[in-house]
Amino acid sequence: MSSKPVPKQPLVTHIYTADPSAHVFEGKIYIYPSHDLDHDEPSNDNGDQYKMEDYHVLSLDNFDSPVVDHGQVLHLNDIPWASKQLWAPDAAYRNGIYYLFFPARDHDGIFRIGVATSTSPAGPFKPEASYIEGSFSIDPAVLVDDDNRAYVYFGGLWGGQLEKWQTGTFEPDASGPAADAPALGPRVALLSDDMLSFQGEPQEISIIDENGNPIVAGDEERRYFEGPWVHKYNGLYYLSYSTGTTHKLVYAVSDNPLGPFTFKGTILTPVIGWTTHHSIVQFEDKWYLFYHDSSLSEGVNHKRCVKFCELHYNEDGTIQTIDPYK
Ligand code: FUB
């Protein structure tokens, strides 16, 4: 007799959390989420309801142990260049320092990406005085490759403002490409040795179909929307991301961290709530998907909760699609 599947539970329930970036540091699982504010103000397509003001760090010794909330590790008030909206962060480790990368709006209302540092993966994190020069948009995700090069992937449509950077400068009235034109890709920049600046201009990543053609902007089942994550499996680079309007987590694969990436399929079918955002991490000999939904608030889009489940690869390297409610 088969047992009934256990519904995936929120990692914590004492605060609303979202956008989990999970890493194994010092033998433990550390999760760097957004901290959703508990408010009842209206929502819009610009994401004004996502008013987050601080970050907490969560950790687990292993998947059988309790979750530790290390408390507030960075607050908006301590970031000189930021005015509001601490959206999805990521963390990285290099040369004895832990780095927290995070997006926020600057004092002109433009999303930028900043860095804060700590000697501990649990923080607290001390922000740099200014955002990374040349940075824009949202959702930074850092890959420190096996050769110790560090890449930051970023970008998000709509409230994330990626459409407004197509010329290389901020065009407040710009809209996205036509439906039959190549979709906007996430950006990638090589980080400097001290991880505090970009080496060169960010490049746009191309996501192509199995015939080598670019995924077009009207292909909302497959085109990039926000929330990039890059991990390596069997020597290949897996770029996964949210499709936004179709609410899926999907992935594409390349043998080069700069792409092009070939679209492969769906990792997670839609969750309760509008946004879907994730990370993928190996702990011991298993792989895990961290993601969020809005089940803790019974569907309020800006009151989300982080969850996780195991992720499985097929023998050919493709990822088995996960149903979040089975
Ligand atoms: O949490 C705010 C925004 O919602 C994130 O930056 C996006 O990825 C989406 O999850």
Side-chain angles (χ1 to χ4, degrees):
M1 202 172 84
S2 65
S3 59
K4 199 171 165 201
V6 180
K8 299 161 185 82
Q9 297 299 322
L11 198 59
V12 294
T13 56
H14 64 292
I15 54 174
Y16 289 114
T17 55
D19 307 326
S21 291
H23 292 273
V24 176
F25 292 138
E26 301 178 356
K28 299 183 188 180
I29 304 129
Y30 279 88
I31 300 117
Y32 301 84
S34 299
H35 175 197
D36 282 346
L37 281 192
D38 184 359
H39 69 80
D40 296 315
E41 292 168 39
S43 298
N44 58 38
D45 285 348
N46 201 37
D48 294 334
Q49 63 276 22
Y50 299 107
K51 294 168 165 287
M52 299 83 103
E53 294 180 347
D54 67 357
Y55 293 114
H56 284 226
V57 173
L58 309 175
S59 73
L60 294 156
D61 284 356
N62 56 59
F63 285 104
D64 296 319
S65 65
V67 182
V68 177
D69 177 357
H70 296 273
Q72 185 181 87
V73 298
L74 180 63
H75 193 280
L76 182 66
N77 292 344
D78 300 320
I79 306 167
W81 61 266
S83 65
K84 60 181 179 178
Q85 294 182 301
L86 296 185
W87 283 11
D90 190 20
Y93 172 79
R94 196 156 82 167
N95 301 335
I97 308 277
Y98 292 90
Y99 299 87
L100 187 71
F101 290 82
F102 60 91
R105 285 186 194 257
D106 68 12
H107 294 288
D108 295 321
I110 299 175
F111 266 110
R112 306 285 188 174
I113 294 168
V115 197
T117 56
S118 177
T119 53
S120 166
F125 288 89
K126 184 172 184 302
E128 294 295 295
S130 189
Y131 56 78
I132 299 175
E133 193 179 341
S135 70
F136 54 91
S137 199
I138 59 167
D139 292 357
V142 175
L143 172 76
V144 180
D145 208 346
D146 302 329
D147 61 6
N148 213 30
R149 283 183 198 215
Y151 302 89
V152 57
Y153 300 83
F154 60 94
L157 302 183
W158 296 15
Q161 303 177 334
L162 189 59
E163 295 94 331
K164 304 185 187 311
W165 287 95
Q166 291 170 78
T167 62
T169 52
F170 186 77
E171 308 282 351
D173 299 324
S175 52
D180 59 356
L184 296 178
R187 303 298 200 270
V188 59
L190 189 62
L191 288 163
S192 56
D193 288 344
D194 65 4
M195 304 282 270
L196 302 179
S197 59
F198 290 171
Q199 290 189 41
E201 298 271 309
Q203 297 176 33
E204 184 170 359
I205 285 188
S206 170
I207 303 172
I208 56 178
D209 66 16
E210 64 281 10
N211 299 315
N213 299 315
I215 302 288
V216 296
D219 184 352
E220 297 186 23
E221 298 288 329
R222 298 191 294 178
R223 66 95 172 78
Y224 178 79
F225 190 90
E226 63 184 0
W229 185 262
V230 175
H231 75 281
K232 273 181 103 170
Y233 179 75
N234 281 349
L236 292 175
Y237 298 84
Y238 285 62
L239 165 67
S240 39
Y241 56 92
S242 164
T243 60
T245 48
T246 50
H247 314 289
K248 294 193 294 188
L249 293 176
V250 297
Y251 73 106
V253 173
S254 178
D255 59 7
N256 187 321
L258 306 177
F261 286 83
T262 305
F263 187 88
K264 290 292 178 188
T266 299
I267 296 175
L268 188 73
T269 55
V271 293
I272 295 167
W274 200 96
T275 65
T276 186
H277 188 120
H278 76 300
S279 58
I280 293 169
V281 68
Q282 184 178 19
F283 183 70
E284 296 172 347
D285 59 346
K286 291 183 175 174
W287 287 86
Y288 296 88
L289 176 75
F290 282 77
Y291 63 100
H292 69 230
D293 71 10
S294 296
S295 58
L296 186 59
S297 63
E298 296 180 346
V300 181
N301 288 334
H302 63 268
K303 297 184 194 177
R304 299 166 288 181
C305 58
V306 166
K307 298 180 168 183
F308 70 88
C309 61
E310 206 178 326
L311 175 142
H312 298 278
Y313 297 89
N314 296 310
E315 281 197 358
D316 64 0
T318 55
I319 293 174
Q320 294 178 11
T321 303
I322 296 165
D323 179 327
Y325 303 108
K326 277 193 179 151

